[in-house]
Amino acid sequence: MGKWVYSFEEGNAGMRNLLGGKGANLAEMTNLGLPIPQGFTVTTEACTDYYASGRQISDEVREQIFAALSELEKKQGKKFGDTENPLLVSVRSGARASMPGMMDTILNLGLTDVAVEGFAKKTGNPRFAYDSYRRFIQMFSDVVMEIPKSYFERILDEIKEAKGAKFDTDLTAEDLKQVIVRFKTVYAEKMGRAFPQDPGEQLMEAVKAVFRSWDNERAIVYRRMNDIPGDWGTAVNVQAMVFGNMGNTSGTGVAFTRNPSTGEKGIYGEYLINAQGEDVVAGIRTPQPITRLEQDLPECFKQFMEIANKLEDHYRDMQDMEFTIEDGRLFFLQTRNGKRTAQAALQIACDLVDEGKISPEEAVLRIEAKSLDQLLHPTFDAEALKKGTVIGQALPASPGAAAGKVYFTAAEAKAAHEKGERVVLVRLETSPEDIEGMHASEGILTVRGGMTSHAAVVARGMGTCCVSGCGDISINEEDKVFELGGHTYHEGDYISLDGSTGKIYDGDIQTREASISGNFDRMMKWADSFRKLQVRTNADTPADAANAVKYGAEGIGLCRTEHMFFEEDRIPKIRQMILSRTLQEREKALNELIPYQKGDFKGLYEAMEGRPVTIRFLDPPLHEFVPTEQDDIDDLAVKMMMTAEEVQEICDSLHEFNPMMGHRGCRLAVTYPEIARMQTRAVMEAAIEVRAEKGYDIVPEIMIPLVGDRKELKFVKDVVVETAEAVKKEKNSDIQYHIGTMIEIPRAALLANEIAEEAEFFSFGTNDLTQMTFGFSRDDAGKFLGDYYKNKIYESDPFARLDQKGVGQLVQMAAEKGRSTRPDIKLGICGEHGGDPSSIEFCHKVGLTYVSCSPYRVPIARLAAAQAAIKQK
Ligand code: PEP
Ligand code: MG
């Protein structure tokens, strides 16, 4: 018999994989003797078993749940469904990794028509009892049975209006009884059966709902964004209820041991008197700062602070805690390492090192590499800001500056973003369904909700600027309009947000790039001392290259030379080259391009100040360069002394049915060696000149793309060598150079031992390698990948996160085969995966020399490389 259920007394913090983060921490806190409402955890294995058995809970799991429940009844001295003193429980999800707001919670479970009477008697507070029951019916219907909340909200509003009540708290016990009758009628209508009066049935349905919620759409999106595997499953925590809504000596709150936005040391959080947990997190009422608790309930505050400090010391990290005070008695409902902004993460990690609580290695592991992106986010241009008009101010929920057009729904925000607009999402409050729209937005503004509301927590996680809880806004989401500070904004009007001050501005205020220093540099220095992988950048312009150097790039791993041809003064020349009818004509056109290419390369060499620069020769199919507009075609016809029809005909003949698998990469150089000759000349002359002018020890690295055969590489290499040697001779230079290739075709990986005989280095072009291995186009896969995530065929985008199982095998094989014939071969990666932390860890493991990624990802790569090295120790 398997063990599927653990009481809190049976677990500990080390059992996170089995009990989920919440369950493991509840167990740990129980062991520490803290005031925890007792309960039990149904394991993540029970969840995976549920899915493996066709979404069924086995009898064995069910029996263990009820056995644990009876133990809990004994401990609490209460009975499930009792007429005198019923046990009520909360049922909450808790996966290995925290997924805030992504899965479901059900409170007050166990209330029935009978139990509510017992509960009213026992508490002597019928109003409270009926309020709890109506909340439960609402939550159970919504979360477990998926009956839309709005039905219930409407009824509540109607009854409030009829009774002249402003707030829910103004309703009496009798009013609430009426609410309950109407709620149950809705349930019966929608479900075709009465609201369940057997608490056992309620419990099993709730457990199932939590298991199901592991696979809801927003959880799948969250997992994809956070690299959480789909097969982990979630645990379910069943915990005796304590009540924060029993009057003015009760309350509930969320607090952090350090400020999750800035990292500043000191308790930080908020609470609501006479409320249940969901009220704080959902942002329905705007809460009080936690420090107010000191005035309201000083004894509780003192105990709360003692425990908070104890928890932080115990976990040696900033804690995010939920607590409830029931009639003057404090309970902790959960603790976890708190989510934080990147800025706060750096501050906290550095402070913990200074406080002697963690080592620099641990500090490096504490920072989520991807989150460094946030530090590189924009702020407002100071001058532009001075002229800005403040129209309101609310909570600075997530730092950064944003300016964009107002949209009122997540779907419209997403659509506008896809059209290339900058978007500010304005909502009454956000909910997890809004996640993609939030992701698509530059900034988020909410009318309701505190610093721990959904909008705030999620925006901080994403590094998206967010201002929350702006109660001064009067909004009509349906009519797509809001008013603030005497201004009216419709969909498409511009506003600007400062997520660090909470200020809201009229219009489109210019933003500026972020700057980095202090803790960031300290962390990066630690990271650099641990990492084995070098970090290069993918850059094609001196400005990008200089930026990357600022972020710590140690070289250029990929310069895509085709990007240099699209500028207005160059594109006609490359078109002439393409349309040339003879070699002489083509060489003439190419010769005109040399000064441009050479100038570009010189700029790069200068920006890189002697660091290695890998220049990849022309790669895309030529049809990408040919004109499509009639004016351009006519222009070209004049230059080429052709008719427009002739030009059109040649352009048509260049059309590729499958451009990604077409006449591109080294194939171009096989057909037109003169292109490779031109590029070699430009590279060599640039290097020789910058070397002489600046004294840098430049060794150009020429990279031939899309090779699939040794002879193919050899053919192009011979052209390069011949030209390079000729240039050296002309210039009387002894400059060295390297010639290598990209491994981006499966055949190249399979024959890497042969290819390495001709290549001094390999750079894995995992964009193409992924495309060719999966057999779908990187340009078109977006159309259907959504269906693959939805149907759980893929968990993540293979173009963003390396498919280690398939594509990774090719990388590993090619690395080994390459080394077998050339032991000192230099190995890098320059596909998008070079900036993705989990892929970087893989690159470390297979022993690559470097990763290369976009400039803004360089710090992420430095940190991820260090984390990979530390983890492997
Ligand atoms: C690649 O294929 O991974 C690569 C870096 O080259 P490109 O994206 O330019 O095809
Ligand atoms: Mg490629």
Side-chain angles (χ1 to χ4, degrees), residues 504-524:
I504 305 154
Y505 298 86
D506 181 48
D508 185 10
I509 299 176
Q510 202 193 334
T511 53
R512 262 175 180 267
E513 301 294 308
S515 70
I516 41 168
S517 63
N519 293 329
F520 179 88
D521 283 338
R522 205 172 163 202
M523 186 63 64
M524 285 295 130

Side-chain angles (χ1 to χ4, degrees), residues 538 557-560 562-563 616 619-620 660 664 703 705-706 742-745 763-772 778 829-833 852:
N538 295 354
L558 174 65
C559 161
R560 292 178 165 102
E562 58 271 18
H563 291 175
R616 201 260 311 267
D619 184 56
M660 283 297 178
R664 56 170 288 217
M703 182 154 76
L706 222 73
M742 296 186 74
I743 301 290
E744 42 188 353
I745 289 185
S763 180
F764 290 96
T766 44
N767 303 333
D768 274 313
L769 192 58
T770 298
Q771 153 173 280
M772 310 272 183
R778 53 201 263 200
I829 179 174
C830 62
E832 278 305 295
H833 309 91
S852 188

